[in-house]
């Protein structure tokens, strides 16, 4: 069994690690944007390359003849890596380009939800540039202003309509101060994409539910909560994600049974809508990003892949064979009994350079990790390895450290202790997974729902 893995981060280290536990003992050929010591240790061949260079990916695929491919990051999925590989006769655990628009085009996602009557969106409107009419630009500005002001009363979100490495969304009161700022950013988006999505700004608590999907066969993973802000107490700039947790019951402490059931149903309805819309089954990971709000849950976005760090929490708990799941996704034979997760809680804390995400001052400096207990996992991200084995910081997130325990509190203590043992000019968020932070989320939900 040979598997081609397109990789850019610790997410794919977690994927490679789950693959390597399989009874199929697969050979992994990893195509990576940078040398990843974790993936290297698990693969038979690691090629450092631009994974958006599909000609080169195709050459390697033809030479190595993998049984299938797993495409980890959003850019190659959105760019059609699965289509290119399919043309060579290689199936992928990743949706084709058309289907991946559920992530890569936020307007497509909102329009599909509307068309298939999946009523879980905030109020929204897609603005498209009308290039044909005279005076259109003045009209455009006026209608944007009116929508933000009259319809959304200044509580708005502006979404860039293409992949932008998690930096395309701007929220009023956080990134944009006034309605004029919102209009200006929307016009920037229109200039670049020809379209922009404007949404009502929701209040609530965010969570993610990832599912394995093959057409209308959908099997869920444990729900996860991510922490995007750089510093403790959810302060500071947004990052790629500073950490995540899951609970032993595979729900989250602030969610009701109904909230989780609604999220599961939404992932199923979206998979079915995509099949109908694109006339082709979605085969891969469908990541629903939700917000629990006053009267239920709303969809924030969908991703067409594993999240980083979400994959770092989820995959270590997978107790069934990941290769079997991949084969079932590819062949349309996905069933609940192929997928089982340990009933354990996890807390992932990302170790990052001290000046991340604003600067890269510590790049190239040495970092060392402690001896790990058996209930700790470490997944390498932006980190380089010298010939003598020593590890050096890159500029981005260094490594995700995952504690596994019977409760979130226990998993948190385990992760925290391991993070404490890391030496170098690094930092991590101490508050992720703590009872105090989780109580804050639950209090917010209680305040919103009035009980
Ligand atoms: N309608 C909304 N109301 C409130 N906050 C939102 C809304 N849409 C997005 N956000 C916030 O912006 C973040 C990024 O938006 P998202 O749609 O997930 O785009 P991306 O992950 O591609 O940057 C979300 O995690 C959420 O915190
Ligand atoms: Mg998001």
């Amino acid at each position: 069994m040979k598997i081609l893995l397109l990789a850019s981060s610790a997410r794919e280290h977690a994927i490679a690690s789950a693959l390597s536990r399989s009874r199929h003992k697969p050979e992994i050929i990893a195509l990576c944007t940078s040398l990843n010591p974790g993936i290297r240790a698990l693969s038979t061949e690691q090629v450092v390359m631009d994974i958006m260079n599909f000609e080169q990916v195709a050459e390697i695929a033809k030479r190595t003849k993998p049984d299938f491919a797993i495409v980890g990051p959003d850019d190659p999925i959105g760019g059609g890596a699965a289509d290119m590989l399919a043309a060579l006769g290689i199936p992928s655990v990743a949706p084709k380009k058309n289907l991946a628009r559920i992530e890569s085009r936020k307007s497509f996602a909102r329009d599909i939800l509307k068309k298939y009557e999946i009523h879980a969106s905030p109020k929204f409107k897609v603005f498209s540039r009308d290039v044909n009419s005279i005076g259109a630009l003045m009209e455009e500005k006026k209608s944007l202003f009116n929508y933000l002001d009259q319809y959304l009363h200044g509580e708005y979100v502006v979404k860039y309509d293409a992949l932008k490495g998690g930096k395309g969304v701007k929220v009023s009161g956080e990134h944009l101060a006034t309605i004029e700022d919102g209009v200006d950013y929307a016009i920037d988006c229109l200039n670049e994409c020809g379209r922009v999505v404007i949404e009502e700004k929701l209040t609530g608590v965010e969570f993610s539910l990832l599912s394995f999907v093959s057409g209308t066969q959908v099997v869920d993973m444990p729900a996860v909560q991510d922490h995007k802000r750089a510093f403790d107490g959810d302060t500071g700039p947004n990052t790629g994600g500073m950490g995540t947790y899951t609970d032993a019951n595979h729900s989250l402490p602030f969610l009701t049974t109904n909230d989780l059931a609604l999220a599961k149903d939404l992932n199923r309805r979206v998979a079915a809508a995509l099949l109908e819309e694109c006339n082709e089954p979605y085969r891969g990971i469908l990541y629903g990003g939700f917000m629990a709000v006053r009267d239920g849950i709303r969809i924030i976005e969908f991703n067409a892949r594993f999240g980083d760090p979400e994959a770092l929490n989820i995959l270590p708990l997978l107790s069934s064979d990941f290769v079997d799941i991949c084969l079932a996704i590819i062949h349309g034979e996905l069933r609940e009994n192929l997928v089982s997760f340990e009933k354990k809680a996890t807390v992932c804390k990302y170790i990052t350079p001290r000046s991340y995400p604003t600067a890269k001052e510590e790049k190239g400096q040495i970092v060392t990790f402690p001896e790990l207990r058996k209930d700790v996992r470490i997944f390498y991200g932006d980190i380089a390895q010298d010939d003598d084995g020593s590890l050096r910081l890159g500029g981005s997130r260094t490594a995700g450290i995952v504690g596994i325990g019977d409760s979130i509190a226990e998993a948190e203590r385990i992760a925290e202790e391991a993070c404490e043992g890391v030496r170098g000019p690094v930092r991590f968020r101490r508050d992720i997974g703590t009872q105090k932070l989780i109580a804050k989320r639950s209090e917010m939900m209680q305040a919103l729902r009035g009980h």
Side-chain angles (χ1 to χ4, degrees):
M1 173 80 60
K2 245 190 225 179
I3 301 168
L4 187 72
L5 176 63
L6 271 65
S8 67
S9 69
R11 164 183 47 215
E12 290 82 21
H13 184 187
I15 290 173
S17 171
L19 291 173
S20 66
R21 298 200 302 270
S22 163
R23 67 184 170 87
H24 296 278
K25 299 276 168 261
E27 279 181 41
I28 300 171
I29 298 123
L31 313 185
C32 304
T33 51
S34 62
L35 207 134
N36 183 308
I39 296 175
R40 183 165 65 183
L42 296 168
S43 54
T44 41
E45 185 178 345
Q46 187 184 37
V47 185
V48 176
M49 59 178 286
D50 172 9
I51 56 175
M52 289 305 286
N53 181 343
F54 285 179
E55 263 176 43
Q56 201 186 342
V57 174
E59 266 171 41
I60 296 169
K62 281 188 228 163
R63 170 171 64 76
T64 56
K65 301 188 176 57
D67 293 275
F68 65 89
I70 300 180
V71 190
D74 53 353
D75 281 325
I77 294 176
D83 307 64
M84 177 274 288
L85 290 163
L88 302 175
I90 300 165
S92 291
V93 178
K96 301 251 180 86
K97 184 175 180 168
N98 219 11
L99 292 150
R101 285 181 298 166
I102 196 70
E103 168 169 16
S104 63
R105 289 256 319 264
K106 293 197 188 278
S107 62
F108 173 80
R110 287 292 178 218
D111 287 341
I112 283 291
L113 293 170
K114 191 168 167 182
K115 179 170 171 189
Y116 291 89
E117 299 181 13
I118 302 170
H119 299 301
S121 287
K123 289 179 199 161
F124 77 96
K125 188 171 160 114
V126 178
F127 288 81
S128 301
R129 178 149 287 177
D130 177 359
V131 284
N132 297 318
S133 88
I134 301 162
L137 291 184
M138 282 301 293
E139 268 316 303
E140 177 180 286
K141 207 165 178 168
K142 226 189 282 171
S143 57
L144 280 166
F145 192 96
N146 279 340
Y147 192 75
L148 296 180
D149 185 38
Q150 306 294 317
Y151 194 65
L152 298 181
H153 309 292
E155 294 287 311
Y156 65 84
V157 179
V158 182
K159 297 191 167 183
Y160 189 82
D161 199 29
L163 293 175
K164 213 179 187 190
K167 295 193 169 58
V169 170
K170 299 200 178 187
V171 180
S172 68
E174 291 179 30
H175 316 93
L176 301 166
T178 62
I179 292 182
E180 286 79 2
D181 289 348
V183 171
D184 288 347
Y185 181 57
I187 288 175
D188 290 346
C189 294
L190 283 163
N191 288 339
E192 284 180 46
C193 304
R195 279 177 315 274
V196 65
V197 183
I198 312 283
E199 296 179 4
E200 161 197 15
K201 179 181 171 181
L202 300 167
T203 307
V205 179
E206 284 179 71
F207 68 98
S208 307
L209 180 74
L210 286 75
S211 305
F212 297 109
V213 174
S214 185
T216 54
Q217 301 158 353
V218 179
V219 182
D220 307 306
M221 305 181 215
V224 199
Q225 187 170 51
D226 187 16
H227 300 75
K228 286 277 178 215
R229 297 302 193 96
F231 306 119
D232 281 22
D234 293 319
T235 57
N238 275 328
T239 68
M242 292 299 294
T244 22
Y245 63 85
T246 68
D247 204 352
N249 63 3
H250 301 166
S251 182
L252 290 164
F254 53 85
L255 293 181
T256 64
T257 316
N258 191 44
D259 291 330
L260 188 62
L262 287 170
K264 290 182 175 190
D265 181 55
L266 288 168
N267 279 7
R268 277 157 186 72
R269 287 167 68 192
V270 166
L274 284 169
L275 176 63
E276 198 168 331
E277 181 68 18
C278 301
N279 271 316
E280 201 174 1
Y282 185 104
R283 300 196 199 280
I285 310 302
L286 182 65
Y287 169 138
F290 302 97
M291 193 182 276
V293 296
R294 190 180 56 78
D295 60 346
I297 71 168
R298 298 285 182 281
I299 293 167
I300 295 292
E301 66 161 349
F302 282 99
N303 293 322
R305 54 177 167 84
F306 277 113
D308 181 355
E310 288 84 348
L312 283 55
N313 299 76
I314 292 170
L315 287 171
L317 295 179
L318 185 66
S319 50
S320 50
D321 193 303
F322 188 38
V323 173
D324 285 339
I325 296 172
C326 292
L327 293 171
I329 288 173
I330 288 164
H331 296 126
E333 293 164 356
L334 188 60
R335 296 184 314 271
E336 287 281 347
N337 65 4
L338 281 174
V339 182
S340 47
F341 291 97
E342 283 180 68
K343 294 269 182 208
K344 295 268 189 185
T346 64
V347 172
C348 172
K349 297 193 186 218
Y350 245 113
I351 299 289
T352 73
R354 223 174 257 152
S355 66
Y356 174 81
T358 39
K360 302 187 177 208
E361 285 160 18
E362 301 82 8
K363 191 169 175 178
Q365 296 197 47
I366 296 277
V367 58
T368 61
F369 294 91
E371 198 71 38
L372 299 180
R373 298 167 38 158
K374 74 173 197 338
D375 43 14
V376 177
R377 301 287 180 279
I378 178 162
F379 298 107
Y380 292 130
D382 191 10
I383 197 165
Q385 192 169 33
D386 294 347
D387 290 338
D388 69 1
S390 50
L391 297 168
R392 290 180 188 276
L393 298 173
S396 194
R397 292 178 295 168
T398 309
I401 293 189
V402 183
I404 303 173
D406 288 326
S407 63
I408 297 175
E410 190 190 4
E412 195 276 331
R413 280 193 299 275
I414 293 166
E416 180 81 12
E417 189 192 300
C419 289
E420 290 276 4
V422 180
R423 295 283 167 267
V426 296
R427 64 179 187 85
F428 60 95
R429 267 183 65 170
R430 290 188 182 276
D431 62 341
I432 292 170
T434 57
Q435 257 145 343
K436 192 173 157 209
L437 198 74
I438 290 167
K440 213 170 93 180
R441 308 271 186 256
S442 298
E443 280 158 23
M444 172 149 187
M445 284 322 301
Q446 273 165 17
L448 278 173
R449 290 178 176 173
H451 50 75

